Amino acid sequence: MRVLVVASEAYPLVKTGGLADVAGALPAALEKRGLEVRVLLPAYPGVADAAVDHGRPISLTGPGGGPLGPAPAHLVPARMPDSGVPVWLLDCPALFDRPGGPYGDLLGYDHADNYLRFALLSRVAALVATGQAVPGWQADVVHASDWQT
């Protein structure tokens, strides 16, 4: 069975609270039970550097071949550094490469475009889950965590 775990944070790549603990531990536990698991996360600053075994980026395009979302986006295949669980990093610098935390700026204010940022994450999750983003991979189950997904 193939499981896609979608979250805005997962330990040890990015953590602000308990969500990261669950999104980091659950995939490894599911793999130990024999399931094929993939994690989908935004590629915030430092996340790609913390992940290991990077693969060739997969371009994400919308209907008619145009870019998906407000700017070019890619999925970067990698692995979690602690468990080796495969992870796809949603690389869209216009939305995710900025100072501050996953949800807010350096002063602690929410990013004004969080609705766009996490709408893109959710849209990409739907494409991955239905086999439209990664050739040869489709989810049987999607585990989506918190309001961002």
Side-chain angles (χ1 to χ4, degrees), residues 27-136:
L30 292 174
E31 272 203 340
K32 286 180 184 175
R33 307 239 350 138
L35 285 83
E36 183 180 338
V37 183
R38 299 292 185 275
V39 177
L40 174 62
L41 287 175
Y44 307 114
V47 168
D49 293 337
V52 297
D53 297 334
H54 296 86
R56 178 176 294 179
I58 301 164
S59 179
L60 298 171
T61 57
L68 177 66
H74 297 84
L75 285 178
V76 179
R79 292 191 177 272
M80 298 293 259
D82 57 349
S83 64
V85 169
V87 60
W88 283 309
L89 304 175
L90 176 53
D91 181 31
C92 182
L95 293 179
F96 298 116
D97 188 8
R98 52 181 67 170
Y103 316 113
D105 62 21
L106 291 171
L107 298 175
Y109 294 104
D110 286 350
H111 294 296
D113 61 351
N114 273 345
Y115 68 98
L116 290 174
R117 299 168 75 227
F118 298 112
L120 178 63
L121 177 62
S122 297
R123 173 72 173 131
V124 170
L127 292 172
V128 170
T130 58
Q132 299 176 64
V134 179

